[in-house]
Amino acid sequence: MRIGTSLTLLGLACYATQILQDSNRIEIVESGKAADTLFTLTTFLTLPHKLKETTKALNSIQEFALHPRIARYVVINEYDPTNDPEPMLEELRAKFPQFEFVQKSKDMRGQAKSLNMAIDMVESGKYQYWMKWEESWKADYNFLDKVYDIMDKSSLGRIGLTENPQKENFMDKEDRGDIIVWSVPKNANLTRYEFDDRMEYSRTCEAYDWPNWSLRPAFERASSILGAKFRFTEDPSAWPWPFEFEFSSKWMLNNHGEEGECGVLKKTPVSRVGGHVSTYQEDLPWSYHHYGPN
């Protein structure tokens, strides 16, 4: 397994080069299974508290989620026009040498772009799985062997790793031992997820209405992610809720059978980092820093 490479990708050209290199990866691990998984964590280090949150998250990954089947551990840091993240990146590289650190440039700004970069890595690297993470979450125990066992023996589209806030929604739920599987009811009317203008709907819908996909940490099947046949909308006006809702809807509508089902572990292995401050709070001056004018 290739580890210990920490690099900063400056600009789209360097990013494309790294994608090309990754597409040629062939690796076998001691278990005999190919290193078939990409891990990504998205963060915004120069915002308040985010270096501390990111450090806690990576410490937890280092303790509970280093696994021979994960070929790459990648941290994608948001572009900031006013603050230099390099001292923070150097600190993290020294603490976590097995992680790659990708610093975005001005033309790559925005959370949606970070996620699209990760999906491009999944596709070009021909990974089977994608474990996606955000800086405000931490692993609480070793869970990957169980997750791999479930995913390898099924066609489930994803396994959610956090407690799900939409405990009661329109999905069918089936108890399968260690997990509860959410699926779209056969006779569900999904026309409300097909209309073009999702902007206003996603801001007003209740948790009951949300599809069975979200940005929370999860273990994703690559074929289901690509099966959404969509990339996140990078329009700044679609942040923070509409761009997530739109992708979630596409994932739900375009994946069928088990590949469109979501498993949720009964004993959730991931929880919020203590002291978390959301970047979605509109009353904070840096809330929309992702899409500042500079």
Side-chain angles (χ1 to χ4, degrees):
M1 181 172 65
R2 184 179 61 214
I3 59 175
T5 301
S6 295
L7 65 155
T8 300
L9 304 183
L10 299 175
L12 192 56
C14 293
Y15 164 60
T17 300
Q18 179 61 32
I19 292 297
L20 179 61
Q21 292 172 347
D22 185 57
S23 68
N24 296 322
R25 172 189 50 78
I26 300 177
E27 301 178 26
I28 303 296
V29 296
E30 292 179 2
S31 66
K33 290 278 190 179
D36 56 3
T37 306
L38 173 71
F39 170 91
T40 65
L41 179 148
T42 55
T43 187
F44 201 151
L45 288 173
T46 50
L47 291 185
H49 315 292
K50 291 305 174 184
L51 175 60
K52 182 180 292 185
E53 288 185 11
T54 301
T55 301
K56 289 180 178 179
L58 294 180
N59 275 329
S60 76
I61 295 297
Q62 193 164 251
E63 182 176 3
F64 296 119
L66 293 185
H67 197 280
R69 286 184 64 177
I70 299 182
R72 294 178 67 194
Y73 289 84
V74 181
V75 178
I76 302 174
N77 186 48
E78 186 56 62
Y79 170 77
D80 187 336
T82 58
N83 298 290
D84 181 11
E86 192 56 33
M88 299 178 181
L89 288 167
E90 285 300 320
E91 178 182 330
L92 291 174
R93 289 189 192 105
K95 288 181 178 178
F96 306 104
Q98 66 270 54
F99 289 81
E100 303 174 27
F101 292 87
V102 177
Q103 176 53 52
K104 300 201 303 180
S105 57
K106 182 177 181 179
D107 60 336
M108 300 157 69
R109 67 194 309 179
Q111 185 181 15
K113 182 64 176 180
S114 296
L115 292 161
N116 286 337
M117 289 169 62
I119 294 175
D120 287 345
M121 292 179 192
V122 170
E123 183 172 33
S124 65
K126 299 180 181 178
Y127 294 99
Q128 183 172 355
Y129 301 119
W130 172 33
M131 187 161 73
K132 74 177 194 302
W133 211 273
E134 295 176 324
E135 82 284 295
S136 61
W137 298 91
K138 63 180 178 65
D140 295 322
Y141 67 87
N142 293 297
F143 61 91
L144 279 172
D145 284 342
K146 181 180 294 293
V147 167
Y148 276 116
D149 185 61
I150 294 170
M151 295 293 276
D152 288 344
K153 293 177 180 177
S154 72
S155 298
L156 281 175
R158 66 194 305 265
I159 291 182
L161 301 176
T162 70
E163 183 178 9
N164 204 307
Q166 300 119 289
K167 292 181 179 178
E168 297 300 329
N169 65 6
F170 70 97
M171 297 288 169
D172 283 341
K173 299 174 182 66
E174 178 186 353
D175 190 321
R176 295 189 191 172
D178 291 325
I179 59 174
I180 302 295
V181 175
W182 292 18
S183 60
V184 178
K186 291 182 179 179
N187 298 322
N189 183 353
L190 301 179
T191 55
R192 57 185 167 174
Y193 300 96
E194 298 171 354
F195 61 90
D196 292 332
D197 184 9
R198 293 177 177 80
M199 298 292 187
E200 201 56 41
Y201 180 73
S202 68
R203 291 189 172 103
T204 59
C205 74
E206 302 293 334
Y208 177 87
D209 302 306
W210 199 270
N212 55 345
W213 193 96
S214 80
L215 288 177
R216 287 184 168 220
F219 198 89
E220 309 279 354
R221 188 176 301 277
S223 58
S224 292
I225 287 292
L226 300 178
K229 302 175 183 177
F230 196 67
R231 291 293 193 269
F232 287 91
T233 298
E234 296 177 11
D235 182 347
S237 66
W239 189 85
W241 304 119
F243 88 105
E244 179 183 3
F245 182 83
E246 184 175 38
F247 186 91
S248 301
S249 297
K250 294 289 187 181
W251 188 94
M252 180 178 66
L253 291 171
N254 291 329
N255 284 298
H256 306 286
E258 268 201 323
E259 290 217 341
E261 295 179 347
C262 172
V264 180
L265 288 167
K266 290 180 180 177
K267 182 184 177 183
T268 54
V270 177
S271 61
R272 280 286 191 193
V273 168
H276 168 61
V277 178
S278 174
T279 59
Y280 290 179
Q281 297 181 43
E282 297 184 20
D283 58 335
L284 296 176
W286 39 265
S287 176
Y288 291 101
H289 203 128
H290 293 259
Y291 300 109
N294 295 319

